[in-house]
Amino acid sequence: MRLAERLHGHAGWLAAVALVHPAIVLRRTDRRAAWAVGLSTGLVTTVAIVGASMYAAYRERLRGHIFRASMSTGYLFERKEHLAFAVLAFAWVGALAYVAAGFSSDDERRVLRRLSHRAYVAASAIALVVAALGTAVATFRSF
């Protein structure tokens, strides 16, 4: 579990940084960003799957200890989980809007690309918060 936790944490920071790329590239609605969209969303999804797979062990072995030692740190982790889900949702909204824009008329394409840009801006901002919260909790207690 310790190795998975470390990989999850490091990949989480990479995913947070990777989400900044489509947020920047998609500022212009006519830019192509298929690789940025695909790779960043894929990385975020992979990190989320690893995190979800560790959740049962976290609840069993760490959650109680963290809350007993520091309620505020325990609640930081709980908020991190909720925000991480928001990151995943915003990244997928951005990806789906980007793909849908490719099949749309010019007017719809602009709206969908703008939606994609805004979704990636939100995802990247929240992901940086999630990574910071995860690091704070991991330095407090880990597997």
Side-chain angles (χ1 to χ4, degrees), residues 24-46:
I24 292 170
V25 172
L26 291 171
R27 285 179 303 163
R28 288 192 12 228
T29 58
D30 60 337
R31 293 277 308 261
R32 288 182 163 177
W35 282 100
V37 166
L39 291 175
S40 63
T41 304
L43 182 57
V44 167
T45 303
T46 303

Side-chain angles (χ1 to χ4, degrees), residues 44 83-96 119 123:
V44 167
L83 292 171
F85 183 79
V87 170
L88 183 64
F90 277 120
W92 273 97
V93 166
L96 292 173

Side-chain angles (χ1 to χ4, degrees), residues 77-124:
F77 187 85
E78 297 297 318
R79 294 305 149 251
K80 173 203 150 331
E81 290 175 333
H82 299 137
L83 292 171
F85 183 79
V87 170
L88 183 64
F90 277 120
W92 273 97
V93 166
L96 292 173
Y98 180 83
V99 170
F103 298 101
S104 302
S105 67
D106 287 343
D107 291 337
E108 292 171 335
R109 183 174 298 119
R110 289 171 105 107
V111 171
L112 288 168
R113 288 280 176 93
R114 213 170 336 199
L115 171 62
S116 182
H117 165 69
R118 289 177 180 159
Y120 278 109
V121 168
S124 63

